[in-house]
């Protein structure tokens, strides 16, 4: 629709009447595309979440500021998707700054830096954890397989800004062969994902030198009872798997064997399906005396035409409850977590895989914001999928993310940032 200027002296009343009707229709059409018309866009991020997170962590603003803590939260969320924008531009675009006595809504860059420092990382972590507890676990519960909620755990690395603080905290990758260290400090991150919706139930991250499996073990407390976790074979060791099985009720895991994996046959359960015994090494038991000497698992073999034979290992030893044919097909859903990392690193971060913040606390704050916004987009995608009667993974993440950002920016000048 195109609008043109109209001079009352040059046009009859009928034309002015038509113009008035057109203008009214245009304004009504535009008004329909404000945040108020998209109640599902941010409704799940209840403003009370922000207030409670600030109060819980002791970071609520105690006196009037141009950029109070609740609005600093929205700045961090904006940084998660407006990757090529400066933080000053984000503050201005989303009108986050409280107006000055003269009516100005702009603030100095130093004010923004101080506001982020006062906020810290804890409130964003609390909000992300709540999103996992309320959204991801509910989603996994809705998409059960044979009574089990389906999750996947895996890790990835991201670059962080090259500052002395980040180098000291996160460390770098040793390239080897005399090639020196990586150009950027590296952060290692591990997530627990609801497989069939990609919603993140939990996450942990930190220095690159810490073993990925140590981060994974830290996530087991977030795994609910009656669940199955699909894992990479890199995690195939007793001190990782036994706690997952024993520290809960009806919690299971599944992975592929390594070339070096050894086990002893107990009995055959069916074609290509065996109950086997795995031995726990003396070294592992020395480090953790609570580990057993052996534990039983199920070995399920299969081969696809044109590919090498494969063997799956799983704690689901009940062959009647968990048929081998279904287990073989189910394992390939593990790759959904790889696609999820791609959505974060390729689509959200636009292959600019460097967290821009220059201190460890600010990096953590930014990372929690990225994970929280990812969950917001994924939650909306699941809602759309329900309306269309398709699986959540059938919805385009790129299209959903673009719509999410466009609607947010469209409404940011008319209503509150949220």
């Amino acid at each position: 629709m195109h609008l043109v200027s109209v001079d009352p002296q040059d046009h009859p009343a009928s034309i002015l009447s038509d113009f008035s009707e057109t203008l009214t229709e245009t304004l009504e059409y535009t008004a329909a595309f404000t945040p108020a018309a998209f109640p599902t866009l941010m409704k799940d991020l209840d403003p009370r979440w922000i207030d409670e997170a600030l109060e819980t962590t002791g970071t609520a603003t105690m006196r009037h500021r141009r950029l109070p803590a609740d609005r600093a939260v929205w700045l961090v969320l904006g940084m998660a998707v407006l990757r090529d924008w400066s933080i000053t531009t984000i503050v201005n675009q989303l009108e986050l700054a409280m107006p000055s006595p003269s009516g100005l809504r702009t603030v100095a860059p130093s004010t923004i830096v101080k506001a982020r420092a006062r906020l810290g990382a804890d409130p964003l972590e609390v909000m992300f954890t709540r999103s996992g507890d309320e959204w991801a676990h509910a989603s996994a519960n809705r998409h059960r397989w044979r009574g089990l909620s389906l999750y996947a755990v895996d890790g990835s690395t991201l670059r962080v800004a090259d500052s002395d603080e980040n180098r000291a905290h996160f460390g770098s990758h040793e390239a080897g062969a005399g090639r020196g260290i990586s150009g950027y400090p590296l952060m290692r991150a591990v997530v627990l994902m609801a497989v069939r919706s990609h919603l993140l139930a939990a996450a942990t991250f930190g220095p690159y030198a810490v073993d990925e499996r140590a981060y994974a073990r830290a996530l087991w407390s977030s795994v609910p009872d009656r669940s199955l976790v699909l894992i990479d074979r890199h995690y195939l060791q007793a001190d990782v798997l036994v706690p997952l099985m024993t520290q809960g009720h009806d919690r299971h895991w599944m992975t592929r064997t390594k070339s070096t994996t050894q086990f002893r046959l107990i009995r055959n359960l069916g074609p290509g399906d065996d109950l086997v015994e795995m031995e726990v090494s003396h070294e592992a038991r020395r480090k953790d005396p609570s580990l057993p000497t052996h534990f039983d698992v199920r070995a399920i073999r299969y081969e696809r035409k044109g590919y090498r034979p494969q063997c799956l290992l799983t704690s689901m030893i009940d062959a009647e409850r968990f048929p081998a044919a279904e287990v073989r097909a189910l394992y390939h859903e593990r790759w959904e977590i790889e696609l999820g990392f791609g959505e974060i690193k390729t689509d959200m971060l636009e292959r600019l895989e460097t967290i821009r913040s220059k201190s460890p606390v600010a990096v953590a704050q930014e990372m929690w914001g990225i994970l929280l916004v990812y969950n917001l987009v994924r939650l909306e995608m699941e809602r759309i999928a329900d309306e269309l009667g398709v699986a959540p993974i059938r919805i385009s993440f790129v299209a959903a993310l673009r719509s999410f950002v466009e609607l947010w920016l469209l409404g940011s000048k008319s209503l509150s940032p949220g």
Side-chain angles (χ1 to χ4, degrees), residues 207-397:
Y208 178 81
V210 175
D211 192 289
E212 183 177 313
R213 290 163 291 194
Y215 288 118
R217 284 194 295 269
L219 297 179
W220 293 161
S221 61
S222 298
V223 177
D225 293 338
R226 295 177 295 281
S227 61
L228 168 62
V229 182
L230 307 176
I231 58 176
D232 185 85
R233 55 185 171 179
H234 180 60
Y235 299 162
L236 184 54
Q237 57 186 52
D239 62 338
V240 176
L241 301 180
V242 171
L244 176 58
M245 291 187 293
T246 58
Q247 296 175 5
H249 171 67
D250 204 17
R251 299 202 310 185
H252 299 280
W253 54 266
M254 177 163 57
T255 187
R256 282 193 301 162
T257 58
K258 304 176 184 178
S259 60
T260 57
T261 302
Q262 296 181 352
F263 45 75
R264 184 182 69 84
L265 175 66
I266 298 177
R267 68 176 182 273
N268 178 257
L269 301 174
D273 187 4
D274 298 318
L275 181 65
V276 302
E277 180 184 77
M278 298 194 70
E279 183 178 359
V280 179
S281 70
H282 294 293
E283 179 63 18
R285 294 180 61 215
R286 185 186 65 80
K287 293 180 179 179
D288 183 359
S290 68
L291 292 175
T293 57
H294 302 80
F295 60 98
D296 295 346
V297 300
R298 195 166 158 207
I300 301 176
R301 296 172 177 81
Y302 69 99
E303 183 176 1
R304 298 181 64 186
K305 186 177 180 179
Y307 294 87
R308 292 181 298 177
Q310 300 291 339
C311 181
L312 302 176
L313 293 180
T314 178
S315 61
M316 298 182 293
I317 60 176
D318 188 336
E320 292 187 6
R321 181 184 175 190
F322 308 114
E326 293 185 28
V327 172
R328 293 183 182 103
L330 183 65
Y331 174 73
H332 294 277
E333 294 193 40
R334 194 195 77 79
W335 300 107
E336 292 299 331
I337 196 169
E338 303 288 355
L339 298 177
F341 274 123
E343 291 166 347
I344 294 173
K345 297 172 70 171
T346 301
D347 302 327
M348 282 188 67
L349 303 186
E350 299 176 349
R351 296 301 302 176
L352 302 175
E353 298 164 22
T354 303
I355 304 301
R356 69 175 85 182
S357 302
K358 297 182 178 180
S359 71
V361 172
V363 167
Q365 179 192 79
E366 186 177 349
M367 187 64 179
W368 290 124
I370 290 169
L371 298 177
L372 177 57
V373 170
Y374 178 78
N375 267 0
L376 278 167
V377 177
R378 267 289 161 191
L379 185 69
E380 187 67 16
M381 291 171 65
E382 185 176 48
R383 185 178 292 114
I384 294 170
D386 287 344
E387 293 175 358
L388 297 177
V390 300
I393 58 174
R394 294 291 303 278
I395 306 298
S396 167
F397 180 82

Side-chain angles (χ1 to χ4, degrees), residues 25-333:
E25 292 175 359
T26 302
L27 292 175
E28 291 176 350
Y29 179 84
T30 303
F33 286 88
T34 65
F38 294 89
T40 63
L41 186 63
M42 284 288 193
K43 76 169 187 178
D44 293 286
L45 191 58
D46 192 317
R48 288 175 296 182
W49 282 28
I50 299 177
D51 295 338
E52 291 171 5
L54 295 175
E55 292 173 3
T56 300
T57 58
T59 50
T61 300
M62 302 305 294
R63 63 187 180 86
H64 180 75
R65 296 183 184 274
R66 293 290 311 285
L67 195 58
D70 59 331
R71 291 179 173 244
V73 169
W74 286 107
L75 165 61
V76 177
L77 300 184
M79 290 169 58
V81 289
L82 303 174
R83 300 297 300 168
D84 56 347
W85 292 29
S86 70
I87 58 175
T88 303
T89 304
I90 294 172
V91 169
N92 293 338
Q93 173 64 37
L94 300 183
E95 292 193 339
L96 296 176
M98 301 295 289
S100 67
S102 62
L104 292 176
R105 299 190 70 103
T106 58
V107 292
S110 60
T111 300
I112 301 173
V113 173
K114 292 176 182 178
R116 286 191 63 198
R118 287 193 300 269
L119 178 65
D122 291 346
L124 275 300
E125 180 180 1
V126 169
M127 292 171 63
F128 168 77
T129 301
R130 188 164 183 175
S131 78
D133 290 343
E134 297 197 12
W135 304 342
H137 290 313
S139 176
N141 186 58
R142 291 175 57 218
H143 301 287
R144 286 176 176 268
W145 171 81
R146 296 224 164 231
L148 301 179
S149 300
L150 298 180
Y151 297 90
V153 166
D154 206 354
S156 188
T157 58
L158 293 95
R159 297 188 297 265
V160 298
D162 193 2
S163 67
D164 291 341
E165 285 186 76
N166 283 347
R167 283 275 182 191
H169 179 78
F170 292 103
S172 306
H173 171 62
E174 297 288 344
R179 290 179 292 172
I181 61 176
S182 56
Y184 285 85
L186 295 175
M187 175 176 68
R188 197 185 294 279
V190 179
V191 302
L192 174 69
M193 172 184 285
V195 170
R196 292 179 169 175
S197 66
H198 290 199
L199 279 159
L200 302 179
T204 183
F205 50 83
Y208 178 81
V210 175
D211 192 289
E212 183 177 313
R213 290 163 291 194
Y215 288 118
R217 284 194 295 269
L219 297 179
W220 293 161
S221 61
S222 298
V223 177
D225 293 338
R226 295 177 295 281
S227 61
L228 168 62
V229 182
L230 307 176
I231 58 176
D232 185 85
R233 55 185 171 179
H234 180 60
Y235 299 162
L236 184 54
Q237 57 186 52
D239 62 338
V240 176
L241 301 180
V242 171
L244 176 58
M245 291 187 293
T246 58
Q247 296 175 5
H249 171 67
D250 204 17
R251 299 202 310 185
H252 299 280
W253 54 266
M254 177 163 57
T255 187
R256 282 193 301 162
T257 58
K258 304 176 184 178
S259 60
T260 57
T261 302
Q262 296 181 352
F263 45 75
R264 184 182 69 84
L265 175 66
I266 298 177
R267 68 176 182 273
N268 178 257
L269 301 174
D273 187 4
D274 298 318
L275 181 65
V276 302
E277 180 184 77
M278 298 194 70
E279 183 178 359
V280 179
S281 70
H282 294 293
E283 179 63 18
R285 294 180 61 215
R286 185 186 65 80
K287 293 180 179 179
D288 183 359
S290 68
L291 292 175
T293 57
H294 302 80
F295 60 98
D296 295 346
V297 300
R298 195 166 158 207
I300 301 176
R301 296 172 177 81
Y302 69 99
E303 183 176 1
R304 298 181 64 186
K305 186 177 180 179
Y307 294 87
R308 292 181 298 177
Q310 300 291 339
C311 181
L312 302 176
L313 293 180
T314 178
S315 61
M316 298 182 293
I317 60 176
D318 188 336
E320 292 187 6
R321 181 184 175 190
F322 308 114
E326 293 185 28
V327 172
R328 293 183 182 103
L330 183 65
Y331 174 73
H332 294 277
E333 294 193 40

